[in-house]
Amino acid sequence: MANHDPIRVGVLFSKTGVTALIEQSQLSGTMLAISEINSAGGIDGREVVPVYYDPQSNPALHSVLAERLVLTDKVNVIFGCYMSSTRKTVLPVVEKWNRLLFYPTLYEGFEFSNNVIYTGAAPNQNSVQLADFMTTNFGSRMYIVGSNYIYPYESNRTMTELVLQRNGEKVGERYVALGATQEEFDPIIADIKKKKPSFIFSTVVGNSTQYLYKAYAEAGLNAKEMPIASLTTSEAEIREMGAELAAGHYTAAPYFQSLDNEVNAAVLASYRKLLGTDDVTTNMCWEAAYFQVHLYANAFRASGSDEIEALLPHLLGSEFLAPQGRVRIDPTTHHTCLYPRVGRANAKGQFTIVREAKRAVHPDPYLVTYSLGDWTARIDALDV
Amino acid sequence: MVRPHRIRTTPELLKDLRTLRVGVFCPRDHNGEELIRQLQRIGCQVQAFWPPPSELSEPFEVVFLAVKPETINLDLPWTKGDGGTTLLAVVNYENPTIVDAVLCFGATGVVAEPIRSFGVLSSLILARRLTAQLRQQKRRIEKLESKLLSARQISEAKAILMSSKGVSEHEAYAIIREQAMTKRVAIEDIATAIINANEILTAVGKPRTTA
């Protein structure tokens, strides 16, 4: 007799706390994929049922809730985490109970766990491209502004290395607390005005992102001359701050809502239908959260189980036609082959794509020394 | 406002990881495979051998050696080299016998089984730095020792000249230096020659002792 029991999966994205905004979009990407899978008859006739908790952007709570998902809710798989600090607390839990975490966020690299699938960009899939674009088009005097935690530290080290390779210099480096208010950015913007960098590299994450752009605009700085470059300012943050504040600034990511292809159009249509509105905003983290659930479901269909030993052989090396292009899980690193792109925020709150990789770039999470020449051959200029 | 994190450029030891030749001398079991895979993720040039070879076929910069009951009695001459190879022990026991073997092989790092991917990179970097520092210090000490020895010899030679020729210390040194320049040998060699000659002359001058 066929098994008709529902399949429970754990979902851990914050609805509250400093990174709630972007994590809610990851949550809705996850829910969209689950709803698509269930509408199409589930996984071999079994309904996928998300078990959701709000970890409140709090690292310690992530660990507690991950353990509850494993022990009380008996899930084999968890979709979740945004900040590296939260992933690091879930990691020991999934390793201890031999469960699998799907992590749909760009991060700083230097990690591998047999119990994690990483579907966001590694630094060789976004930082290299952004550094090359910014130094080529605006010059190589960089001013760094970041949130005060591990991802910005490592991400800034990578960017600094890349800019130094261009005989550039780091003219400033400032950090603000997670959840910083606009007053904290004002003195930084004043310093930026004084030092006149070629561009500002921001690794500010979460709800404070808007205040950086606001402080910048209020100081009368011009994005055409000294833009902000970011790996984390997505359509979600722009919607919150307003298109006007972000216009002219740059972000590197494998996915932008504005991507003009059939898959993206179809997934966006499906998302509009689910939400019952035409007014939807998506972003790189939403897309990764979306396609990783489909990768999971496909591997489950092939193996008949989501226990890690059964699932992994079908997951590793598997491909999926995602909105950004055909992605693939690299078996060696458990990271994902993705399509680096650089976008310039426009007046509509969307990104005009100015650079694009035609082929997927292999993840290299342990890459220490980058070479700027490597990727340029594989990424094409569009307009600018 | 938060105080800026002290930003660093990338340490040199991290930069050469991709060209590092690493030997893994471990059984090809689950642990051995996992260690090899993690080193490959890091990007090292990995070659695996089992059992551990008594001679290195290649100049490995780093060797991960399984220090287990079946390897602790092996004679591996390359582990007693000049410190050009960084040795990390891979262990699954922590008893005094194994710990002693780890020390005898001259390991500067330990990786414990079961192998976890996390931690291999840090152990590798730390062991490389320790090995490099030990080698530098060893060379420095050798240099200092030889300098100390020659200083002692020169002052002894000067003392001999001062008492036998009745010259000042300054003059004694001038004599030694002039000899060295004329004969094109090191000052230390002249000093040694003077000391030897003095020993012989002293022995000759002494009355024979009777049996």
Side-chain angles (χ1 to χ4, degrees):
Chain A
M1 212 183 96
N3 183 353
H4 294 294
D5 294 344
I7 299 160
R8 288 205 282 196
V9 297
V11 180
L12 277 188
F13 294 110
S14 305
K15 278 185 182 170
T16 52
V18 289
T19 50
L21 180 77
I22 190 74
E23 294 196 52
Q24 276 173 307
S25 79
Q26 292 180 307
L27 175 60
S28 61
T30 307
M31 293 309 191
L32 173 63
I34 291 175
S35 120
E36 283 181 357
I37 291 160
N38 288 335
S39 316
I43 297 175
D44 299 331
R46 297 174 65 185
E47 186 190 1
V48 178
V49 178
V51 182
Y52 172 76
Y53 296 118
D54 177 7
Q56 301 171 20
S57 312
N58 174 338
L61 194 55
H62 274 78
S63 155
V64 171
L65 295 174
E67 197 133 64
R68 184 185 301 172
L69 282 169
V70 171
L71 295 181
T72 310
D73 302 300
K74 312 266 187 251
V75 306
N76 288 325
V77 163
I78 297 171
F79 301 99
C81 299
Y82 177 76
M83 281 188 284
S84 286
S85 47
T86 66
R87 185 191 68 256
K88 283 289 185 195
T89 70
V90 173
L91 197 68
V93 177
V94 292
E95 288 192 340
K96 178 170 146 198
W97 301 105
N98 203 22
R99 299 303 201 272
L100 193 60
L101 169 72
F102 283 81
Y103 177 60
T105 312
L106 64 143
Y107 84 112
E108 68 281 3
F110 293 91
E111 192 179 283
F112 166 82
S113 166
N114 197 46
N115 299 75
V116 182
I117 298 289
Y118 307 79
T119 56
N124 78 304
Q125 296 168 311
N126 58 11
S127 301
V128 183
Q129 291 77 5
L130 188 63
D132 191 81
F133 180 84
M134 297 312 290
T135 52
T136 305
N137 291 285
F138 295 97
S140 52
R141 298 179 75 246
M142 173 174 67
Y143 194 106
I144 290 174
V145 187
S147 295
N148 197 31
Y149 77 111
I150 185 66
Y151 165 72
Y153 302 160
E154 178 58 26
S155 191
N156 290 340
R157 185 196 61 79
T158 304
M159 282 305 270
T160 305
E161 288 268 313
L162 287 165
V163 166
L164 291 179
Q165 276 181 35
R166 281 280 160 107
N167 299 316
E169 58 174 321
K170 179 172 68 186
V171 297
E173 177 166 3
R174 303 285 279 268
Y175 291 91
V176 294
L178 285 160
T181 57
Q182 190 176 334
E183 292 75 63
E184 294 175 64
F185 289 104
D186 286 335
I188 297 177
I189 293 292
D191 190 41
I192 287 171
K193 252 182 139 166
K194 207 170 64 197
K195 292 193 173 141
K196 296 189 174 53
S198 324
F199 67 95
I200 299 156
F201 177 53
S202 162
T203 45
V204 176
V205 303
N207 301 351
S208 334
T209 308
Q210 54 181 318
Y211 300 123
L212 168 67
Y213 289 78
K214 217 166 164 199
Y216 177 101
E218 282 174 10
L221 295 173
N222 184 350
K224 283 206 171 98
E225 289 160 8
M226 192 203 293
I228 301 172
S230 167
L231 303 167
T232 45
T233 303
S234 75
E235 292 87 338
E237 284 82 4
I238 292 178
R239 189 186 174 106
E240 183 167 63
M241 70 176 88
E244 209 174 294
L245 285 185
H249 296 296
Y250 292 86
T251 295
Y255 171 86
F256 293 107
Q257 184 172 356
S258 60
L259 282 183
D260 184 16
N261 67 58
E262 283 176 19
V263 179
N264 190 36
V267 177
L268 284 173
S270 154
Y271 190 43
R272 289 191 183 102
K273 203 176 137 201
L274 180 77
L275 297 189
T277 171
D278 278 351
D279 184 23
V280 298
T281 305
T282 63
N283 64 77
M284 55 188 136
C285 297
W286 171 89
E287 194 243 8
Y290 167 82
F291 76 66
Q292 67 177 14
V293 179
H294 279 291
L295 279 162
Y296 157 79
N298 289 345
F300 194 124
R301 287 186 190 101
S303 66
S305 162
D306 67 355
E307 280 175 28
I308 188 165
E309 283 85 2
L311 201 64
L312 271 187
H314 297 280
L315 200 54
L316 300 179
S318 72
E319 296 186 359
F320 183 73
L321 194 51
Q324 66 171 280
R326 183 171 287 279
V327 298
R328 176 174 186 270
I329 307 289
D330 170 45
T332 313
T333 60
H334 285 202
H335 287 59
T336 311
C337 303
L338 303 169
Y339 298 80
R341 293 177 165 97
V342 179
R344 184 179 55 222
N346 60 33
K348 289 181 286 183
Q350 293 292 327
F351 285 93
T352 303
I353 294 157
V354 294
R355 286 280 192 284
E356 183 168 58
K358 289 295 182 207
R359 272 178 295 171
V361 171
H362 211 79
D364 196 351
Y366 284 90
L367 189 56
V368 174
T369 310
Y370 294 85
S371 148
L372 277 171
D374 273 1
W375 66 281
T376 40
R378 289 179 291 169
I379 194 162
D380 300 306
L382 295 176
D383 65 89
V384 174
Chain B
M1 174 129 75
V2 181
R3 246 156 47 87
H5 176 78
R6 188 179 53 85
I7 273 260
R8 45 306 84 191
T9 48
T10 309
E12 285 303 318
L13 279 169
L14 278 160
K15 286 185 174 170
D16 63 6
L17 284 170
R18 296 273 151 131
T19 52
L20 212 57
R21 284 160 301 185
V22 179
V24 174
F25 303 166
C26 295
R28 291 301 287 260
D29 54 14
H30 174 75
N31 281 306
E33 299 285 354
E34 188 46 47
L35 178 58
I36 290 166
R37 274 198 298 267
Q38 181 61 13
L39 289 166
Q40 284 169 340
R41 278 179 208 114
I42 292 168
C44 304
Q45 316 287 319
V46 187
Q47 281 191 51
F49 293 91
W50 186 256
S54 56
E55 274 175 44
L56 295 187
S57 57
E58 294 212 22
F60 289 115
E61 279 105 4
V62 178
V63 167
F64 284 84
L65 173 67
V67 180
K68 302 190 167 190
E70 60 266 42
T71 57
I72 56 174
N73 292 319
L74 290 177
D75 179 28
L76 304 174
W78 51 267
T79 60
K80 297 166 185 67
D82 65 343
T85 303
T86 299
L87 185 74
L88 288 101
V90 180
V91 299
N92 57 353
Y93 288 92
E94 217 171 22
N95 57 45
T97 305
I98 296 294
V99 174
D100 181 50
V102 169
L103 295 174
C104 287
F105 280 124
T108 48
V110 172
V111 173
E113 292 189 352
I115 298 288
R116 285 188 71 216
S117 49
F118 184 84
V120 172
L121 176 63
S122 304
S123 299
L124 171 62
I125 297 293
L126 209 59
R128 288 255 292 150
R129 191 174 76 171
L130 271 177
T131 305
Q133 281 178 342
L134 284 174
R135 192 170 48 186
Q136 271 172 9
Q137 285 171 1
K138 197 176 153 205
R139 280 185 192 155
R140 216 178 127 85
I141 288 169
E142 279 168 2
K143 238 187 218 168
L144 289 172
E145 275 176 348
S146 104
K147 269 217 174 115
L148 197 65
L149 180 70
S150 64
R152 218 165 51 209
Q153 285 171 330
I154 291 167
S155 75
E156 195 181 335
K158 280 193 296 192
I160 292 166
L161 290 179
M162 283 155 75
S163 71
S164 64
K165 301 283 174 196
V167 293
S168 71
E169 184 180 354
H170 185 75
E171 285 163 333
Y173 186 73
I175 294 169
I176 297 170
R177 199 181 52 190
E178 204 186 304
Q179 283 294 312
M181 280 161 68
T182 315
K183 299 202 162 68
R184 292 174 184 278
V185 295
I187 287 181
E188 292 85 348
D189 294 341
I190 299 297
T192 314
I194 292 170
I195 295 162
N196 290 344
N198 185 54
E199 276 170 10
I200 292 165
L201 291 175
T202 312
V204 166
K206 272 184 191 164
R208 283 192 186 178
T209 47
T210 48

PDB file of all heavy atoms in Angstrom, chain A residues 318-342:
ATOM      1  N   SER A 318      22.496  17.146  -8.406  1.00  0.00           N
ATOM      2  CA  SER A 318      21.203  17.347  -9.061  1.00  0.00           C
ATOM      3  C   SER A 318      21.079  18.774  -9.577  1.00  0.00           C
ATOM      4  O   SER A 318      21.743  19.691  -9.099  1.00  0.00           O
ATOM      5  CB  SER A 318      20.054  16.999  -8.119  1.00  0.00           C
ATOM      6  OG  SER A 318      19.916  17.972  -7.115  1.00  0.00           O
ATOM      7  N   GLU A 319      20.215  18.937 -10.576  1.00  0.00           N
ATOM      8  CA  GLU A 319      20.053  20.231 -11.228  1.00  0.00           C
ATOM      9  C   GLU A 319      18.604  20.673 -11.142  1.00  0.00           C
ATOM     10  O   GLU A 319      17.706  19.850 -10.945  1.00  0.00           O
ATOM     11  CB  GLU A 319      20.445  20.120 -12.710  1.00  0.00           C
ATOM     12  CG  GLU A 319      21.902  19.776 -12.908  1.00  0.00           C
ATOM     13  CD  GLU A 319      22.309  19.803 -14.376  1.00  0.00           C
ATOM     14  OE1 GLU A 319      21.442  20.083 -15.232  1.00  0.00           O
ATOM     15  OE2 GLU A 319      23.491  19.535 -14.649  1.00  0.00           O
ATOM     16  N   PHE A 320      18.386  21.965 -11.284  1.00  0.00           N
ATOM     17  CA  PHE A 320      17.017  22.478 -11.313  1.00  0.00           C
ATOM     18  C   PHE A 320      16.991  23.736 -12.154  1.00  0.00           C
ATOM     19  O   PHE A 320      17.893  24.570 -12.073  1.00  0.00           O
ATOM     20  CB  PHE A 320      16.522  22.775  -9.893  1.00  0.00           C
ATOM     21  CG  PHE A 320      15.090  23.237  -9.858  1.00  0.00           C
ATOM     22  CD1 PHE A 320      14.049  22.338 -10.081  1.00  0.00           C
ATOM     23  CD2 PHE A 320      14.775  24.565  -9.619  1.00  0.00           C
ATOM     24  CE1 PHE A 320      12.719  22.767 -10.063  1.00  0.00           C
ATOM     25  CE2 PHE A 320      13.448  24.996  -9.599  1.00  0.00           C
ATOM     26  CZ  PHE A 320      12.419  24.091  -9.817  1.00  0.00           C
ATOM     27  N   LEU A 321      15.955  23.843 -12.961  1.00  0.00           N
ATOM     28  CA  LEU A 321      15.819  25.034 -13.797  1.00  0.00           C
ATOM     29  C   LEU A 321      15.165  26.135 -12.958  1.00  0.00           C
ATOM     30  O   LEU A 321      13.943  26.223 -12.851  1.00  0.00           O
ATOM     31  CB  LEU A 321      14.993  24.710 -15.047  1.00  0.00           C
ATOM     32  CG  LEU A 321      15.038  25.753 -16.161  1.00  0.00           C
ATOM     33  CD1 LEU A 321      16.463  26.140 -16.523  1.00  0.00           C
ATOM     34  CD2 LEU A 321      14.288  25.247 -17.388  1.00  0.00           C
ATOM     35  N   ALA A 322      16.000  26.942 -12.333  1.00  0.00           N
ATOM     36  CA  ALA A 322      15.539  27.981 -11.414  1.00  0.00           C
ATOM     37  C   ALA A 322      15.326  29.281 -12.175  1.00  0.00           C
ATOM     38  O   ALA A 322      15.778  29.415 -13.309  1.00  0.00           O
ATOM     39  CB  ALA A 322      16.582  28.172 -10.321  1.00  0.00           C
ATOM     40  N   PRO A 323      14.682  30.255 -11.545  1.00  0.00           N
ATOM     41  CA  PRO A 323      14.502  31.559 -12.203  1.00  0.00           C
ATOM     42  C   PRO A 323      15.817  32.193 -12.660  1.00  0.00           C
ATOM     43  O   PRO A 323      15.854  32.893 -13.656  1.00  0.00           O
ATOM     44  CB  PRO A 323      13.821  32.396 -11.118  1.00  0.00           C
ATOM     45  CG  PRO A 323      13.010  31.394 -10.343  1.00  0.00           C
ATOM     46  CD  PRO A 323      13.869  30.159 -10.305  1.00  0.00           C
ATOM     47  N   GLN A 324      16.935  31.939 -11.963  1.00  0.00           N
ATOM     48  CA  GLN A 324      18.212  32.540 -12.374  1.00  0.00           C
ATOM     49  C   GLN A 324      18.886  31.774 -13.507  1.00  0.00           C
ATOM     50  O   GLN A 324      19.786  32.290 -14.169  1.00  0.00           O
ATOM     51  CB  GLN A 324      19.177  32.597 -11.193  1.00  0.00           C
ATOM     52  CG  GLN A 324      19.625  31.234 -10.680  1.00  0.00           C
ATOM     53  CD  GLN A 324      20.749  31.360  -9.659  1.00  0.00           C
ATOM     54  OE1 GLN A 324      21.896  31.538 -10.032  1.00  0.00           O
ATOM     55  NE2 GLN A 324      20.408  31.295  -8.393  1.00  0.00           N
ATOM     56  N   GLY A 325      18.452  30.529 -13.763  1.00  0.00           N
ATOM     57  CA  GLY A 325      19.086  29.673 -14.759  1.00  0.00           C
ATOM     58  C   GLY A 325      19.170  28.262 -14.190  1.00  0.00           C
ATOM     59  O   GLY A 325      18.667  28.000 -13.088  1.00  0.00           O
ATOM     60  N   ARG A 326      19.836  27.362 -14.920  1.00  0.00           N
ATOM     61  CA  ARG A 326      19.916  25.975 -14.437  1.00  0.00           C
ATOM     62  C   ARG A 326      20.971  25.872 -13.347  1.00  0.00           C
ATOM     63  O   ARG A 326      22.160  26.034 -13.621  1.00  0.00           O
ATOM     64  CB  ARG A 326      20.240  25.020 -15.593  1.00  0.00           C
ATOM     65  CG  ARG A 326      20.263  23.553 -15.189  1.00  0.00           C
ATOM     66  CD  ARG A 326      20.360  22.625 -16.390  1.00  0.00           C
ATOM     67  NE  ARG A 326      19.094  22.575 -17.136  1.00  0.00           N
ATOM     68  CZ  ARG A 326      18.048  21.831 -16.780  1.00  0.00           C
ATOM     69  NH1 ARG A 326      18.096  21.075 -15.698  1.00  0.00           N
ATOM     70  NH2 ARG A 326      16.951  21.840 -17.508  1.00  0.00           N
ATOM     71  N   VAL A 327      20.558  25.613 -12.117  1.00  0.00           N
ATOM     72  CA  VAL A 327      21.498  25.513 -11.000  1.00  0.00           C
ATOM     73  C   VAL A 327      21.810  24.044 -10.722  1.00  0.00           C
ATOM     74  O   VAL A 327      21.074  23.150 -11.122  1.00  0.00           O
ATOM     75  CB  VAL A 327      20.941  26.175  -9.719  1.00  0.00           C
ATOM     76  CG1 VAL A 327      20.716  27.661  -9.939  1.00  0.00           C
ATOM     77  CG2 VAL A 327      19.661  25.490  -9.255  1.00  0.00           C
ATOM     78  N   ARG A 328      22.934  23.819 -10.052  1.00  0.00           N
ATOM     79  CA  ARG A 328      23.358  22.449  -9.773  1.00  0.00           C
ATOM     80  C   ARG A 328      24.046  22.404  -8.412  1.00  0.00           C
ATOM     81  O   ARG A 328      24.818  23.320  -8.080  1.00  0.00           O
ATOM     82  CB  ARG A 328      24.348  22.013 -10.856  1.00  0.00           C
ATOM     83  CG  ARG A 328      24.952  20.645 -10.644  1.00  0.00           C
ATOM     84  CD  ARG A 328      25.809  20.249 -11.857  1.00  0.00           C
ATOM     85  NE  ARG A 328      26.274  18.878 -11.726  1.00  0.00           N
ATOM     86  CZ  ARG A 328      27.404  18.533 -11.133  1.00  0.00           C
ATOM     87  NH1 ARG A 328      28.208  19.453 -10.648  1.00  0.00           N
ATOM     88  NH2 ARG A 328      27.754  17.258 -11.032  1.00  0.00           N
ATOM     89  N   ILE A 329      23.762  21.365  -7.638  1.00  0.00           N
ATOM     90  CA  ILE A 329      24.442  21.204  -6.344  1.00  0.00           C
ATOM     91  C   ILE A 329      25.781  20.516  -6.588  1.00  0.00           C
ATOM     92  O   ILE A 329      25.820  19.392  -7.093  1.00  0.00           O
ATOM     93  CB  ILE A 329      23.616  20.349  -5.360  1.00  0.00           C
ATOM     94  CG1 ILE A 329      22.195  20.881  -5.201  1.00  0.00           C
ATOM     95  CG2 ILE A 329      24.314  20.254  -4.000  1.00  0.00           C
ATOM     96  CD1 ILE A 329      22.077  22.176  -4.447  1.00  0.00           C
ATOM     97  N   ASP A 330      26.854  21.196  -6.233  1.00  0.00           N
ATOM     98  CA  ASP A 330      28.187  20.624  -6.408  1.00  0.00           C
ATOM     99  C   ASP A 330      28.422  19.550  -5.340  1.00  0.00           C
ATOM    100  O   ASP A 330      28.349  19.846  -4.145  1.00  0.00           O
ATOM    101  CB  ASP A 330      29.225  21.754  -6.294  1.00  0.00           C
ATOM    102  CG  ASP A 330      30.639  21.208  -6.232  1.00  0.00           C
ATOM    103  OD1 ASP A 330      30.956  20.310  -7.034  1.00  0.00           O
ATOM    104  OD2 ASP A 330      31.418  21.671  -5.374  1.00  0.00           O
ATOM    105  N   PRO A 331      28.687  18.310  -5.761  1.00  0.00           N
ATOM    106  CA  PRO A 331      28.804  17.215  -4.784  1.00  0.00           C
ATOM    107  C   PRO A 331      29.969  17.394  -3.807  1.00  0.00           C
ATOM    108  O   PRO A 331      29.878  16.966  -2.666  1.00  0.00           O
ATOM    109  CB  PRO A 331      29.032  15.975  -5.656  1.00  0.00           C
ATOM    110  CG  PRO A 331      28.589  16.355  -7.019  1.00  0.00           C
ATOM    111  CD  PRO A 331      28.808  17.830  -7.140  1.00  0.00           C
ATOM    112  N   THR A 332      31.054  18.004  -4.235  1.00  0.00           N
ATOM    113  CA  THR A 332      32.229  18.121  -3.369  1.00  0.00           C
ATOM    114  C   THR A 332      32.013  19.108  -2.236  1.00  0.00           C
ATOM    115  O   THR A 332      32.397  18.859  -1.102  1.00  0.00           O
ATOM    116  CB  THR A 332      33.450  18.584  -4.192  1.00  0.00           C
ATOM    117  OG1 THR A 332      33.498  17.789  -5.368  1.00  0.00           O
ATOM    118  CG2 THR A 332      34.724  18.436  -3.410  1.00  0.00           C
ATOM    119  N   THR A 333      31.427  20.257  -2.554  1.00  0.00           N
ATOM    120  CA  THR A 333      31.335  21.321  -1.552  1.00  0.00           C
ATOM    121  C   THR A 333      29.937  21.481  -0.950  1.00  0.00           C
ATOM    122  O   THR A 333      29.774  22.217   0.020  1.00  0.00           O
ATOM    123  CB  THR A 333      31.713  22.677  -2.175  1.00  0.00           C
ATOM    124  OG1 THR A 333      30.807  22.949  -3.249  1.00  0.00           O
ATOM    125  CG2 THR A 333      33.134  22.663  -2.719  1.00  0.00           C
ATOM    126  N   HIS A 334      28.922  20.820  -1.524  1.00  0.00           N
ATOM    127  CA  HIS A 334      27.515  21.003  -1.122  1.00  0.00           C
ATOM    128  C   HIS A 334      27.021  22.431  -1.381  1.00  0.00           C
ATOM    129  O   HIS A 334      25.983  22.821  -0.873  1.00  0.00           O
ATOM    130  CB  HIS A 334      27.285  20.676   0.366  1.00  0.00           C
ATOM    131  CG  HIS A 334      27.280  19.204   0.653  1.00  0.00           C
ATOM    132  ND1 HIS A 334      26.675  18.687   1.778  1.00  0.00           N
ATOM    133  CD2 HIS A 334      27.791  18.149  -0.011  1.00  0.00           C
ATOM    134  CE1 HIS A 334      26.819  17.366   1.786  1.00  0.00           C
ATOM    135  NE2 HIS A 334      27.503  17.027   0.712  1.00  0.00           N
ATOM    136  N   HIS A 335      27.816  23.228  -2.085  1.00  0.00           N
ATOM    137  CA  HIS A 335      27.363  24.561  -2.474  1.00  0.00           C
ATOM    138  C   HIS A 335      26.761  24.464  -3.885  1.00  0.00           C
ATOM    139  O   HIS A 335      26.746  23.383  -4.480  1.00  0.00           O
ATOM    140  CB  HIS A 335      28.522  25.562  -2.443  1.00  0.00           C
ATOM    141  CG  HIS A 335      28.966  25.936  -1.052  1.00  0.00           C
ATOM    142  ND1 HIS A 335      29.413  25.008  -0.131  1.00  0.00           N
ATOM    143  CD2 HIS A 335      29.044  27.129  -0.422  1.00  0.00           C
ATOM    144  CE1 HIS A 335      29.733  25.618   1.001  1.00  0.00           C
ATOM    145  NE2 HIS A 335      29.523  26.915   0.846  1.00  0.00           N
ATOM    146  N   THR A 336      26.304  25.600  -4.429  1.00  0.00           N
ATOM    147  CA  THR A 336      25.531  25.540  -5.667  1.00  0.00           C
ATOM    148  C   THR A 336      26.205  26.321  -6.800  1.00  0.00           C
ATOM    149  O   THR A 336      26.763  27.395  -6.564  1.00  0.00           O
ATOM    150  CB  THR A 336      24.115  26.107  -5.406  1.00  0.00           C
ATOM    151  OG1 THR A 336      23.592  25.480  -4.238  1.00  0.00           O
ATOM    152  CG2 THR A 336      23.190  25.825  -6.570  1.00  0.00           C
ATOM    153  N   CYS A 337      26.151  25.761  -7.995  1.00  0.00           N
ATOM    154  CA  CYS A 337      26.642  26.468  -9.186  1.00  0.00           C
ATOM    155  C   CYS A 337      25.602  27.530  -9.557  1.00  0.00           C
ATOM    156  O   CYS A 337      24.441  27.197  -9.800  1.00  0.00           O
ATOM    157  CB  CYS A 337      26.824  25.495 -10.350  1.00  0.00           C
ATOM    158  SG  CYS A 337      27.940  24.131  -9.980  1.00  0.00           S
ATOM    159  N   LEU A 338      26.021  28.793  -9.577  1.00  0.00           N
ATOM    160  CA  LEU A 338      25.087  29.915  -9.739  1.00  0.00           C
ATOM    161  C   LEU A 338      25.553  30.881 -10.829  1.00  0.00           C
ATOM    162  O   LEU A 338      26.674  30.750 -11.329  1.00  0.00           O
ATOM    163  CB  LEU A 338      24.970  30.682  -8.409  1.00  0.00           C
ATOM    164  CG  LEU A 338      24.527  29.892  -7.179  1.00  0.00           C
ATOM    165  CD1 LEU A 338      24.710  30.718  -5.913  1.00  0.00           C
ATOM    166  CD2 LEU A 338      23.072  29.462  -7.322  1.00  0.00           C
ATOM    167  N   TYR A 339      24.703  31.864 -11.131  1.00  0.00           N
ATOM    168  CA  TYR A 339      24.979  32.809 -12.214  1.00  0.00           C
ATOM    169  C   TYR A 339      25.197  34.225 -11.666  1.00  0.00           C
ATOM    170  O   TYR A 339      24.229  34.962 -11.448  1.00  0.00           O
ATOM    171  CB  TYR A 339      23.796  32.837 -13.193  1.00  0.00           C
ATOM    172  CG  TYR A 339      23.549  31.500 -13.846  1.00  0.00           C
ATOM    173  CD1 TYR A 339      22.866  30.497 -13.163  1.00  0.00           C
ATOM    174  CD2 TYR A 339      24.031  31.230 -15.123  1.00  0.00           C
ATOM    175  CE1 TYR A 339      22.660  29.250 -13.744  1.00  0.00           C
ATOM    176  CE2 TYR A 339      23.831  29.996 -15.709  1.00  0.00           C
ATOM    177  CZ  TYR A 339      23.149  29.005 -15.014  1.00  0.00           C
ATOM    178  OH  TYR A 339      22.953  27.781 -15.590  1.00  0.00           O
ATOM    179  N   PRO A 340      26.460  34.623 -11.453  1.00  0.00           N
ATOM    180  CA  PRO A 340      26.717  35.959 -10.918  1.00  0.00           C
ATOM    181  C   PRO A 340      26.197  37.055 -11.854  1.00  0.00           C
ATOM    182  O   PRO A 340      26.324  36.946 -13.077  1.00  0.00           O
ATOM    183  CB  PRO A 340      28.243  36.027 -10.832  1.00  0.00           C
ATOM    184  CG  PRO A 340      28.686  34.602 -10.800  1.00  0.00           C
ATOM    185  CD  PRO A 340      27.694  33.846 -11.622  1.00  0.00           C
ATOM    186  N   ARG A 341      25.611  38.072 -11.239  1.00  0.00           N
ATOM    187  CA  ARG A 341      25.120  39.219 -12.002  1.00  0.00           C
ATOM    188  C   ARG A 341      25.363  40.489 -11.201  1.00  0.00           C
ATOM    189  O   ARG A 341      25.462  40.444  -9.976  1.00  0.00           O
ATOM    190  CB  ARG A 341      23.613  39.094 -12.245  1.00  0.00           C
ATOM    191  CG  ARG A 341      23.235  37.944 -13.175  1.00  0.00           C
ATOM    192  CD  ARG A 341      21.712  37.826 -13.306  1.00  0.00           C
ATOM    193  NE  ARG A 341      21.348  36.985 -14.439  1.00  0.00           N
ATOM    194  CZ  ARG A 341      21.041  35.676 -14.350  1.00  0.00           C
ATOM    195  NH1 ARG A 341      21.037  35.069 -13.190  1.00  0.00           N
ATOM    196  NH2 ARG A 341      20.729  34.982 -15.426  1.00  0.00           N
ATOM    197  N   VAL A 342      25.460  41.607 -11.899  1.00  0.00           N
ATOM    198  CA  VAL A 342      25.534  42.893 -11.229  1.00  0.00           C
ATOM    199  C   VAL A 342      24.347  43.722 -11.718  1.00  0.00           C
ATOM    200  O   VAL A 342      24.083  43.795 -12.921  1.00  0.00           O
ATOM    201  CB  VAL A 342      26.859  43.624 -11.545  1.00  0.00           C
ATOM    202  CG1 VAL A 342      26.889  44.995 -10.850  1.00  0.00           C
ATOM    203  CG2 VAL A 342      28.060  42.787 -11.101  1.00  0.00           C
TER     204      VAL A 342
END
